[in-house]
Amino acid sequence: MSIWVRVGDFVATLASSALTSLVEAVRTAFEGDPETRRRVSFSIAMIALSAKMAKADGIVTDHEIRAFQQIFSIPESERTHVARLYNLAKQDIAGYESYAAQMASLCGSGHQNCACLQDILDGLFHIAKADGYVHEKELAFLSSVGEIFGFDEAHFEAIAARHVHLGEADPYTVLGLPRGTSFDEARRRYRQLASENHPDRLVARGVPREFLIIANDRIAAINGAWEKIEKALKAA
């Protein structure tokens, strides 16, 4: 069954209340089905946090809408439910900080740096950069969400570097490596990241197949960073 049918069924049961009770509602609705709970919670986190991020710079551009639609390939029959959830999130008086903290407690194991939370942050970056520029208020929003999710500064910079040019050390930052790393060590790190971020790994931890543009973006950034580092080290 498509994840959108499950999300649509869930949203149809929601009262028109604020999203403060949404996390507990997801936990309760899918208590006996942890795999569906992970997939639904990921989808809802992406929709709701995307809506809250759209307000970060005060403008929702056509590019951001198209990027949202790229990630969310929603069947016509389920678009009303998704739109309702998106609008609820925009109108909710609760701050995104509270909601992100609740999602962190629900997503995956709940441990710091949970891989599923990294997937959510990558999806948010994909939308934020759609107009060719991550606004400083969007970057502040994403940095704050990263802190709430438990990422330290180095981990957040590695994620951001896949989407935003951070200067001369960019390829090394993407792979989480210091300059001066040996060729063999850099290659081992690259192979580790490529294995950890294979699309099948994302599906196994709860990312619905409908969202795998996130995995493709990430692998492309990792491959691109390694190509630059490999070329430079071989030429040295």
Side-chain angles (χ1 to χ4, degrees):
M1 180 182 295
S2 166
I3 188 61
W4 294 118
V5 174
R6 303 307 297 267
V7 171
D9 289 345
F10 174 76
V11 173
T13 67
L14 288 177
S16 58
S17 58
L19 289 176
T20 51
S21 62
L22 182 60
V23 170
E24 191 56 40
V26 172
R27 198 190 309 274
T28 301
F30 302 104
E31 186 174 8
D33 188 351
E35 180 179 352
T36 298
R37 184 181 65 200
R38 286 196 301 271
R39 295 173 71 221
V40 171
S41 64
F42 177 89
S43 305
I44 288 174
M46 282 299 306
I47 295 166
L49 287 174
S50 295
K52 289 187 176 295
M53 186 177 67
K55 299 173 67 176
D57 62 1
I59 301 173
V60 181
T61 69
D62 289 341
H63 294 290
E64 288 171 333
I65 292 170
R66 283 196 293 273
F68 183 89
Q69 292 170 341
Q70 260 191 317
I71 292 181
F72 302 99
S73 300
I74 307 164
E76 186 69 36
S77 59
E78 303 302 326
R79 289 181 183 177
T80 299
H81 293 310
V82 173
R84 178 168 176 247
L85 179 59
Y86 188 86
N87 288 329
L88 271 176
K90 283 200 302 183
Q91 297 163 12
D92 182 23
I93 61 172
Y96 72 86
E97 299 93 342
S98 172
Y99 184 69
Q102 291 180 69
M103 288 312 307
S105 74
L106 181 64
C107 179
S109 65
H111 295 308
Q112 283 191 341
N113 296 341
C114 166
C116 185
L117 299 175
Q118 177 174 277
D119 301 332
I120 292 171
L121 202 55
D122 261 328
L124 294 173
F125 262 110
H126 180 84
I127 294 169
K129 71 181 182 182
D131 56 1
Y133 173 71
V134 179
H135 192 281
E136 62 180 13
K137 291 183 179 178
E138 291 173 323
L139 189 58
F141 173 96
L142 292 162
S143 177
S144 178
V145 170
E147 288 182 14
I148 293 166
F149 282 177
F151 300 127
D152 60 25
E153 184 177 353
H155 195 161
F156 178 79
E157 285 189 359
I159 296 171
R162 295 198 285 262
H163 306 278
V164 182
H165 183 66
L166 297 179
E168 186 181 4
D170 184 49
Y172 286 86
T173 304
V174 171
L175 300 189
L177 293 171
R179 283 191 172 270
T181 300
S182 70
F183 179 86
D184 287 344
E185 185 178 348
R187 182 170 57 186
R188 279 195 298 272
R189 176 61 175 164
Y190 162 68
R191 289 175 174 173
Q192 176 190 1
L193 287 174
S195 174
E196 289 175 353
N197 292 288
H198 188 279
D200 288 346
R201 292 285 188 98
L202 272 71
V203 171
R205 63 180 177 244
V207 176
R209 291 191 178 276
E210 292 89 339
F211 290 81
L212 288 187
I213 189 172
I214 295 170
N216 295 333
D217 260 11
R218 186 182 298 168
I219 286 293
I222 290 169
N223 287 340
W226 167 243
E227 287 173 7
K228 292 177 182 177
I229 292 172
E230 181 182 35
K231 182 178 179 180
L233 291 178
K234 283 185 174 180

